Amino acid sequence: MTTDDDELLRPARYPRSAAYDPAWLLRLDMGPHPLWLLEDLARDLRLLPGMRVLDLGSGKGASSVFLVREFGVEVVAADWWVAAEEARAVFAEAGVEDRVTAVRAEAHQLPFEAESFDAIVSIDAFEYFGTADGYLPYLQRFLRPGGQLGIATPALRREVRELGSVPEHIRQVVGWEAVAWHTPEWWRFQWEVTELVDVTAARMQEHGWDDWLRWSRACGDDAVTRMLLEDGGELLGFALVAARKR
Ligand SMILES: C[S@@+](CC[C@H](N)C(=O)[O-])C[C@H]1O[C@@H](n2cnc3c(N)ncnc32)[C@H](O)[C@@H]1O
């Protein structure tokens, strides 16, 4: 990686993330840059030292390392595709193994006590398991009253339902999966209608499209880069949604 690349991958709008080596993040990559998403999402959360936080769909663990280091919280990193041993090695190498517990878990069968977390965060994962009507009611049982839920998830600025189909440039790359890429307003309604949580923020990430493009180029992901360029920021980006359990 050249010095220019290194600077490009530490944008000033994410000062906390800029302290993390882009080469380390590229090694753990599973999609968009997880720390830029989490740093932005965290602006709508209140994470305090000692809180117990579930990182749901934590992948190879970069976001869990960030949560420990930046906010002093205790983390349970739960993921389905990545083995707990693989995540544990990442936590040990980062020197946070005493603050993070790695668990292999499916999002609909979480092995936790009711009301055992102060916060649940999910970075680029909720779109795979969290869109069914019953999911928020299921998940919120693991939060203490007043506990927070925050997600960063790929989003379209208009619902696929409203567009009539998945737009061609998106369909070619992700197929039907984009049906789960809902607008922030969709998430707000979906969660608030349950009367189980109060949504405290629901927004398109301001630089979501250009961050995604910047990172897909760094990863050499030509298909995603093409999709984003063709989109031009018209539809694609990330929804950042935060809520508090009643
Ligand atoms: C695109 S990766 C993102 C990983 C990580 N959060 C990051 O940003 O690098 C999506 C993650 O969602 C997790 N995931 C997908 N379906 C899941 C399910 N049903 N239960 C738990 N995790 C799931 C996968 O294991 C995967 O690690």
Side-chain angles (χ1 to χ4, degrees):
M1 194 181 317
T2 65
T3 313
D4 281 357
D5 288 339
D6 192 85
E7 270 174 31
L8 194 72
L9 296 177
R10 298 181 198 253
R13 58 180 167 270
Y14 306 117
R16 288 174 185 260
S17 303
Y20 293 76
D21 182 2
W24 177 72
L25 285 152
L26 282 168
R27 191 151 56 79
L28 303 182
D29 175 63
M30 291 182 77
H33 194 299
L35 303 192
W36 298 344
L37 290 168
L38 176 54
E39 182 166 351
D40 205 345
L41 174 67
R43 292 171 180 142
D44 293 328
L45 298 171
R46 199 168 138 75
L47 298 174
L48 300 173
M51 279 183 167
R52 189 161 186 266
V53 178
L54 172 61
D55 186 356
L56 184 56
S58 48
K60 295 180 185 163
S63 52
S64 300
V65 172
F66 186 88
L67 285 164
V68 169
R69 287 205 190 139
E70 301 303 318
F71 301 103
V73 297
E74 304 280 331
V75 177
V76 175
D79 198 75
W80 185 231
W81 303 342
V82 178
E85 300 73 48
E86 188 179 344
R88 258 179 230 128
V90 172
F91 302 142
E93 189 195 341
V96 298
E97 71 272 33
D98 54 333
R99 312 290 300 278
V100 189
T101 308
V103 180
R104 184 101 186 239
E106 203 289 315
H108 298 85
Q109 293 182 313
L110 294 174
F112 308 121
E113 302 276 311
E115 301 190 358
S116 57
F117 291 101
D118 298 294
I120 300 174
V121 301
S122 185
I123 305 300
D124 186 29
F126 221 72
E127 65 277 12
Y128 295 107
F129 52 74
T131 57
D133 295 345
Y135 194 69
L136 184 276
Y138 166 74
L139 186 63
Q140 61 84 38
R141 80 177 68 161
F142 300 103
L143 282 174
R144 66 163 173 79
Q148 303 163 81
L149 171 64
I151 68 167
T153 184
L156 300 178
R157 289 178 189 278
R158 291 173 63 200
E159 283 295 314
V160 168
R161 185 172 287 270
E162 187 192 325
L163 295 167
S165 61
V166 176
E168 189 54 22
H169 63 292
I170 301 172
R171 194 193 60 73
Q172 279 175 7
V173 179
V174 296
W176 63 266
E177 285 190 20
V179 174
W181 294 5
H182 290 292
T183 62
E185 294 71 31
W186 185 93
W187 286 106
R188 178 187 286 281
F189 183 82
Q190 182 76 4
W191 288 4
E192 267 181 349
V193 77
T194 65
E195 301 186 7
L196 297 167
V197 299
D198 292 308
V199 174
T200 49
R203 59 185 168 96
M204 283 300 276
Q205 191 189 21
E206 193 182 348
H207 295 280
W209 174 82
D210 32 316
D211 289 349
W212 197 351
L213 180 59
R214 190 182 288 230
W215 191 243
S216 73
R217 280 179 163 147
C219 297
D221 190 334
D222 294 339
V224 169
T225 300
R226 246 193 337 271
M227 172 180 82
L228 289 165
L229 286 174
E230 202 165 318
D231 186 76
E234 199 182 316
L235 290 170
L236 289 166
F238 276 81
L240 304 181
V241 190
R244 208 172 256 286
K245 179 171 171 172
R246 290 190 179 172

